[in-house]
Amino acid sequence: MSEPQTTITEEPKSQAPPDYQQSSPEQYPIQAPPMMQQGQPMMQQGQPMMQQGQPIMTQPGQPMMQQGQPMMMQQGQMAPMHSQTTSNTNVVMINQQPVTARAAPREWSTGLCGCFDDCGTCWYSVFCHKNVLCEISQRLGEGRCFVCCCPFPLLSLRIKFRAQQNIKGSLCNDHLTVQYCYLCALCQLAREIDHVQRIQRVN
């Protein structure tokens, strides 16, 4: 018996069009994907690669933004608000003035008719009451001319001295005393000034 013969048929090769030129690997090199450094975000396909210091590419119609500049918000968008807490502390300084307790008014050291306590001043006031009044005015810091200028010098000096030394009395009482007991009021004022000066010298 004769062995069957096997026939090998070759498939017809597809013919390229006459204008087709086969591209070589040198003409269209394959670009390798960019290598990302450690710590940098990965770049998705289709996005441009951004280097540090270069402007960020935005969508068409939007302004370009450089690194470090605030983001420009489109119309109708709200920028994120950062709430800041500010505490104002008002310091109020209160200056308290020292309160001095005022002593109770005191009495005259000698009475209105105590002429015998200082007979020298009493006789001097009887014969030279103008000189005594001028000396009292000078001792109280008003000068001798005050007696000639003021219409009621003894009344004014008595009121001033009584207010300074916190002595009991009133304006009405001073006026009546000077009006009806002029020489007694003059001697009493002279004796009181001597009494106060003696206390000041001791202290």
Side-chain angles (χ1 to χ4, degrees):
M1 293 180 66
S2 62
E3 298 179 355
Q5 296 182 359
T6 59
T7 59
I8 300 172
T9 59
E10 296 181 358
E11 295 180 358
K13 298 180 178 180
S14 60
Q15 296 181 0
D19 296 337
Y20 175 77
Q21 294 181 2
Q22 186 176 2
S23 60
S24 61
E26 291 81 4
Q27 187 174 358
Y28 299 98
I30 300 175
Q31 296 181 358
M35 300 298 294
M36 305 300 296
Q37 296 180 3
Q38 186 177 3
Q40 295 183 355
M42 297 184 63
M43 180 179 65
Q44 298 180 3
Q45 185 177 4
Q47 293 183 356
M49 186 174 183
M50 179 184 67
Q51 296 181 2
Q52 186 176 5
Q54 293 183 355
I56 301 174
M57 301 299 294
T58 58
Q59 298 180 1
Q62 294 183 356
M64 298 180 66
M65 179 186 68
Q66 295 182 1
Q67 187 176 5
Q69 293 183 353
M71 180 180 294
M72 302 297 294
M73 304 301 297
Q74 296 181 1
Q75 187 175 5
Q77 295 182 356
M78 297 296 293
M81 300 298 293
H82 298 280
S83 61
Q84 296 181 358
T85 304
T86 304
S87 60
N88 297 327
T89 304
N90 298 327
V91 179
V92 180
M93 301 297 294
I94 301 176
N95 296 327
Q96 296 183 355
Q97 297 180 357
V99 179
T100 57
R102 186 173 180 177
R106 65 178 181 87
E107 298 287 347
W108 293 86
S109 62
T110 59
L112 185 61
C113 298
C115 297
F116 293 101
D117 296 337
D118 189 0
C119 295
T121 303
C122 181
W123 289 110
Y124 187 36
S125 299
V126 171
F127 296 101
C128 302
H129 64 277
K130 287 292 185 182
N131 293 337
V132 177
L133 188 59
C134 290
E135 290 178 1
I136 291 175
S137 178
Q138 187 174 4
R139 294 170 70 180
L140 293 180
E142 298 297 337
R144 291 180 176 268
C145 297
F146 177 76
V147 177
C148 301
C149 298
C150 183
F152 305 101
L154 181 57
L155 178 61
S156 301
L157 295 174
R158 182 182 175 90
I159 294 173
K160 176 182 179 181
F161 183 77
R162 187 175 58 81
Q164 289 179 351
Q165 299 300 322
N166 193 22
I167 300 174
K168 288 183 179 180
S170 61
L171 297 178
C172 183
N173 186 19
D174 294 334
H175 176 73
L176 294 176
T177 302
V178 173
Q179 184 70 25
Y180 297 102
C181 301
Y182 183 86
L183 293 178
C184 293
L186 181 63
C187 294
Q188 184 185 29
L189 182 57
R191 290 192 306 268
E192 195 67 30
I193 294 175
D194 294 338
H195 173 71
V196 172
Q197 289 181 354
R198 282 194 301 266
I199 295 176
Q200 291 178 354
R201 283 195 299 265
V202 171
N203 296 334

